[in-house]
Amino acid sequence: MKHPIEMKRDNDTAPLYAGVKQMILDRIHSGEWPPRHRVPSENELVTELGVSKMTANRALRELANEGELVRIQGVGSFVAERKGYSALFEVRNIADEIAERGHTHEASVVILAQEAASPETADALDLAIGAAVFHSLIVHSENGVPVQIEDRFVNPAAAPDYLAQEFSSITPNAYLTAAAPLSGSEHIVEAAMPQSWECKLLSILKSEPCLAIRRRTWSGRHVVSTARLIYPGHRYRLEARTGKMFEE
């Protein structure tokens, strides 16, 4: 069988970068390059295939945009895992969702502190501006790859021991569900371009779009927490199903 690049040279109707993309896809789909396998760099593709660096860059960039590859700055390009997913209108523990896929969950705590509520946070938690709130910023990873930033503010009255928890081994969701049983939730979903600090935490490029969920939860009449959840768009998807499903 001819190499895809050789096929391109016999048929000038297809751009050269498409041949490079197809060569990479063939190896991924055949299983030769499994998830998390490091694919050749731009320079290696130039040497191996005799194409220009611009051609190699476009092929890798488009495959990353299509979700086939994960590009990590300063490290390289890797075959993407099958996209993880979260239930859109359910408040589930991300550690459980990852475990159900047979993968490993890890959490890195960036911030865990008491702060004064900003006007926005105070409004979301139904507290006075400047009131004490608990703030946690955590990066959740699946098989070592960052998949979510959880930026959460908590009403201390609902979970007074929040700051004493070890959130590298238990998630805020698991703790809050036990401390203040959920009675209601609110979800706002939007597309968002990541801020510079979010790119660093998620190991993504500034040009990569993200999915953002703003979520508030209640226990009885009291707002327990407000959270902003950021997912890299090429690594994650959100799902929802309503009504009854019937099979014939």
Side-chain angles (χ1 to χ4, degrees):
M1 178 182 293
K2 283 193 171 184
H3 193 286
I5 298 303
E6 294 176 339
M7 290 176 62
K8 160 61 187 69
R9 288 171 178 164
D10 290 341
N11 179 2
D12 291 334
T13 61
L16 194 58
Y17 74 86
V20 179
K21 286 179 63 178
Q22 191 59 52
M23 180 275 293
I24 295 173
L25 286 172
D26 287 345
R27 295 188 181 184
I28 292 174
H29 295 162
S30 71
E32 181 180 349
W33 290 354
R36 305 186 72 188
H37 176 86
R38 181 185 176 279
V39 305
S41 66
E42 290 178 18
N43 290 334
E44 290 168 336
L45 288 173
V46 168
T47 300
E48 178 184 347
L49 304 176
V51 298
S52 69
K53 191 168 184 178
M54 182 180 298
T55 295
N57 176 274
R58 179 167 180 178
L60 293 174
R61 186 177 70 248
E62 289 197 3
L63 287 171
N65 290 339
E66 293 165 8
E68 298 288 349
L69 301 179
V70 174
R71 303 186 79 183
I72 301 177
Q73 288 179 292
V75 179
S77 298
F78 301 83
V79 177
E81 297 270 5
R82 181 179 179 274
K83 273 194 176 185
Y85 59 89
S86 283
L88 179 54
F89 299 120
E90 295 180 45
V91 181
R92 293 202 62 200
N93 186 351
I94 188 171
D96 292 341
E97 293 179 342
I98 290 173
E100 288 171 3
R101 293 191 284 273
H103 294 171
T104 301
H105 168 263
E106 297 175 355
S108 175
V109 179
V110 180
I111 295 174
L112 184 60
Q114 178 175 305
E115 299 178 2
S118 68
E120 180 182 8
T121 301
D123 183 61
L125 291 175
D126 196 20
L127 297 173
I129 296 174
V133 295
F134 297 152
H135 182 203
S136 60
L137 181 65
I138 299 171
V139 179
H140 297 278
S141 297
E142 182 169 352
N143 283 353
V145 178
V147 294
Q148 184 200 86
I149 292 175
E150 176 188 345
D151 191 6
R152 184 184 297 272
F153 292 90
V154 176
N155 183 344
D161 295 327
Y162 189 78
L163 297 182
Q165 305 309 305
E166 181 56 63
F167 287 127
S168 59
S169 57
I170 182 175
T171 65
N173 173 283
Y175 169 71
L176 291 173
T177 298
L182 180 70
S183 63
S185 61
E186 172 187 83
H187 310 262
I188 300 174
V189 183
E190 58 189 355
M193 296 306 297
Q195 300 179 48
S196 295
W197 65 270
E198 293 170 333
C199 293
K200 292 178 182 178
L201 291 179
L202 292 172
S203 298
I204 60 175
L205 302 174
K206 292 181 180 179
S207 58
E208 293 194 35
C210 291
L211 299 170
I213 297 180
R214 293 185 181 275
R215 174 179 290 162
R216 287 200 298 167
T217 56
W218 280 261
S219 183
R221 297 181 179 180
H222 303 289
V223 181
V224 174
S225 74
T226 179
R228 184 170 184 262
L229 311 175
I230 305 296
Y231 302 85
H234 72 284
R235 297 180 194 162
Y236 233 71
R237 72 178 189 267
L238 303 175
E239 294 184 349
R241 177 177 294 178
T242 60
K244 295 181 178 180
M245 305 298 292
F246 295 95
E247 295 184 359
E248 294 184 359

